[in-house]
Amino acid sequence: MRFMVLVPGSPESEAGEMPSTEILGAMTKYNEALIQAGVMLAGEGLHPSSRGAKVRFNGSERTVIDGPFTEAKELVAGYWVWQCASREEAIEWLKRAPFDGGVEVELRQIFEMDDFAEQLTPELREANERLRGQTAQN
């Protein structure tokens, strides 16, 4: 099972403040443990929303909305993609993360092709497997 872990933004991350050397050290040690256990597939921090954009879709109209976005508590400042045997295992790994101060980190399971059952025809399955293979090469 794959899981996405969404690290929330904060006023500090939205202001573009970089984490301290102490925090970076703790996160590096945690990431090393995830990688050594074969859990971490990917993970990155994100620039503040002031450097981002949203695109609103309404029929054929596309509207670009430049950041910053108003609610920092609803923004994502970083993420991981993990491979775990179960939701419980992913939760146990997340409980070890070096966060503090009431931060709430979201954990969501990623859909696999088998989850789409009959909606995913053999042709669509083949096309999606081919695309996944191509993205893995990049």
Side-chain angles (χ1 to χ4, degrees):
M1 297 175 160
R2 291 179 303 145
F3 293 87
M4 177 162 270
V5 181
L6 302 168
V7 178
S10 67
E12 295 80 17
S13 67
E14 276 299 288
E17 293 178 23
M18 298 308 284
S20 69
T21 300
E22 180 181 288
I23 291 171
L24 289 173
M27 194 58 69
T28 298
K29 185 176 180 182
Y30 180 64
N31 286 340
E32 287 173 342
L34 290 167
I35 290 168
Q36 289 173 358
V39 170
M40 186 171 159
L41 302 176
E44 303 292 341
L46 302 174
H47 282 270
S49 70
S50 61
R51 298 184 64 182
K54 294 181 181 183
V55 177
R56 179 177 294 130
F57 297 83
N58 189 11
S60 63
E61 184 179 332
R62 305 296 187 256
T63 305
V64 176
I65 305 155
D66 289 321
F69 308 121
T70 55
E71 289 294 322
K73 67 181 182 182
E74 295 178 10
L75 296 174
V76 176
Y79 71 93
W80 285 286
V81 177
W82 292 349
Q83 178 77 42
C84 296
S86 66
R87 177 179 179 268
E88 292 73 23
E89 179 187 1
I91 289 171
E92 286 306 312
W93 275 106
L94 185 52
K95 286 164 64 174
R96 299 180 202 172
F99 293 110
D100 197 1
V103 171
E104 292 182 11
V105 178
E106 185 175 351
L107 174 77
R108 305 266 303 271
Q109 188 172 346
I110 297 172
F111 278 111
E112 302 293 346
M113 280 196 279
D114 289 342
D115 294 326
F116 292 98
E118 69 273 357
Q119 292 92 343
L120 194 65
T121 65
E123 297 80 17
L124 288 172
R125 178 180 294 275
E126 181 182 319
N128 279 279
E129 286 172 352
R130 185 181 72 254
L131 292 171
R132 182 172 276 180
Q134 289 173 354
T135 59
Q137 293 174 3
N138 293 338

